[in-house]
Amino acid sequence: MRAGQRVLWADLSRDPHVQKGTVIAEPVQAWTPNDLTATAPDAGMVAVQWDGDVAPGWEYTQELADAS
């Protein structure tokens, strides 16, 4: 996934109300479940700024789908 790409949760892609977000360029401070960190806590993760959320979060790319 590339910075600027619009994404949504892959398993909810058919839900018209699913929250969407934007992959943001790293390095960036983003949330894991327990910490705010500037490096991805695991391989295959990207920082996503979800629409309506204050801070971005780290998400696994295999759980995301293109929303553009």
Side-chain angles (χ1 to χ4, degrees), residues 40-67:
D42 202 1
M45 296 185 97
V46 293
V48 175
Q49 179 66 55
W50 294 105
D51 295 354
D53 285 357
V54 174
W58 292 106
E59 309 294 348
Y60 284 101
T61 57
Q62 68 265 24
E63 294 177 352
L64 302 172
D66 185 67

Side-chain angles (χ1 to χ4, degrees), residues 3-27:
Q5 183 175 356
R6 295 287 290 161
V7 295
L8 48 72
W9 292 106
D11 60 343
L12 299 174
S13 62
R14 295 182 189 271
D15 183 341
H17 305 292
V18 67
Q19 186 177 23
K20 295 179 182 177
T22 303
V23 175
I24 56 177
E26 299 172 31

